[in-house]
Amino acid sequence: MEFTLNALMGIICALAAATAKPTIDQQIIDLQQSNSKLLQYPTQFTQNIMPKGIHSHNDYWRDVPLLTALSFGVASVEADVSLVNGTLYVGHENAALTPDRTLDSLYIQPLLQILNKMNPRDAFTAGSTTLNGVFDTASGIPLQLLIDIKTDGVQALPFILKAFQPLREAGYLTTFANGTLATSAITVVGTGNSPLEQVKALDPRDYFFDAPLTQLTDTSLNTTWDPTLSPLASTDYAVAIGWNGIGNITDEQKANITRFVGDAHARGIAARFWDTPAWPVFARQNIWRALLEGGADWLNADDLAAASAF
């Protein structure tokens, strides 16, 4: 009796199905291999990723900017931006800049694509008045995007505001207008050379200011620090605290952490200490532990895998 190739393959598949163990693990395998639509849904881009209070310092140093951070659940990323001949380039210094690595290509367009995926327009979302953020497991948590201006801040700010227009038009930016702070999918915070007075004057405001964590009580600055201007306050860890993570932290150093964090929290502002030592690893972890115990909201990290597993 002759068999065609199709008939032979049919017999083999039938035998394989008959001999497969009817376990839950086997059913999982079968569904995955079949590419079943039962396992697909529109907002699964960040499926099973839990957002964490980690800040990706100099995020553009990652192998894949933005996406690597999101894969670890990092909820805050930082881009150093330089205005050169009317274009906003991303990099730590001029020698690191390239024509292809711009604020638009590395952050604006990828975020727009991600958020469009997370906010499908279909029969199920018709009439919805809220927008999802980048994290599928916690869609109400915004991604914090720090823009560290490396060139003249007054000159760069108008270009930066214009660059965010696609996200602004889609309603994805946290905005303060008419006395109301409306949190959305992305909260943009200016740091570095970001010009305080120009940020204060923005109306509406969807570009905020990274406040000086150790100076929130300094009345000489003539600034009322609150989340409508500064949802974040930061300071240099080495200057403010100084403990290197080796040996015991002093009572004074521990009190400084809680004092500065307390100043921020009393105003509804999140606290971040930057330039925390990265090595030795045990010292870095001691510092992270002390900061979290002291109430700091963000762990400033370069090693995202280590921070996410901490």
Side-chain angles (χ1 to χ4, degrees):
M1 183 175 181
E2 295 184 357
F3 291 93
T4 65
L5 179 60
N6 287 339
L8 181 59
M9 290 301 297
I11 293 172
I12 293 173
C13 290
L15 288 173
T19 58
K21 294 180 180 180
T23 63
I24 188 170
D25 290 340
Q26 185 60 51
Q27 186 167 352
I28 290 172
I29 292 171
D30 292 344
L31 282 168
Q32 289 176 331
Q33 291 180 343
S34 70
N35 198 29
S36 172
K37 289 187 176 181
L38 296 175
L39 307 185
Q40 302 172 25
Y41 60 95
T43 62
Q44 66 186 146
F45 181 76
T46 49
Q47 183 180 10
N48 296 328
I49 298 174
M50 299 301 297
K52 306 172 183 70
I54 300 170
H55 173 70
S56 179
H57 170 242
N58 290 349
D59 179 74
Y60 50 87
W61 279 345
R62 311 285 86 82
D63 287 342
V64 182
L66 180 64
L67 298 187
T68 297
L70 294 183
S71 73
F72 285 110
V74 171
S76 179
V77 297
E78 174 185 340
D80 287 358
V81 173
S82 295
L83 177 67
V84 181
N85 296 327
T87 299
L88 297 166
Y89 297 99
V90 173
H92 192 64
E93 54 193 13
N94 286 347
L97 303 181
T98 75
D100 296 318
R101 289 166 64 89
T102 66
L103 179 61
D104 187 68
S105 65
L106 289 183
Y107 292 94
I108 304 295
Q109 293 305 319
L111 283 170
L112 188 63
Q113 293 172 16
I114 292 168
L115 289 170
N116 285 342
K117 289 180 183 178
M118 303 302 289
N119 293 277
R121 297 178 181 178
D122 52 33
F124 297 101
T125 61
S128 177
T129 58
T130 59
L131 292 171
N132 293 328
V134 298
F135 294 110
D136 183 42
T137 57
S139 60
I141 293 180
L143 177 71
Q144 180 173 260
L145 174 57
L146 263 65
I147 302 297
D148 187 341
I149 302 179
K150 293 299 186 183
T151 52
D152 183 270
V154 174
Q155 292 180 3
L157 184 58
F159 290 87
I160 293 171
L161 295 176
K162 182 179 179 180
F164 278 100
Q165 185 61 23
L167 293 167
R168 182 179 297 113
E169 288 179 350
Y172 293 143
L173 299 183
T174 295
T175 304
F176 176 64
N178 301 318
T180 300
L181 182 65
T183 301
S184 194
I186 303 171
T187 299
V188 181
V189 181
T191 188
N193 291 333
S194 291
L196 175 58
E197 294 305 316
Q198 282 73 15
V199 174
K200 280 183 179 181
L202 294 176
D203 184 20
R205 180 185 299 129
D206 53 24
Y207 183 93
F208 299 87
F209 190 83
D210 186 12
L213 181 59
T214 60
Q215 298 174 277
L216 296 178
T217 60
D218 186 348
T219 57
S220 68
L221 297 179
N222 297 318
T223 299
T224 299
W225 302 110
D226 62 42
T228 68
L229 175 64
S230 298
L232 174 70
S234 305
T235 193
D236 185 338
Y237 171 85
V239 175
I241 310 301
W243 180 50
N244 65 3
I246 301 173
N248 295 323
I249 187 172
T250 68
D251 291 340
E252 181 181 4
Q253 290 167 330
K254 188 180 294 186
N256 281 340
I257 294 175
T258 56
R259 175 164 63 91
F260 295 138
V261 171
D263 288 343
H265 288 180
R267 293 163 173 77
I269 297 173
R272 176 180 70 108
F273 294 85
W274 51 269
D275 199 23
T276 51
W279 190 88
V281 172
F282 79 90
R284 178 192 66 192
Q285 292 178 319
N286 287 340
I287 292 168
W288 283 352
R289 186 173 295 106
L291 290 176
L292 290 178
E293 289 175 351
D297 300 279
W298 297 102
L299 283 185
N300 203 76
D302 290 298
D303 188 339
L304 303 185
S308 66
F310 182 67

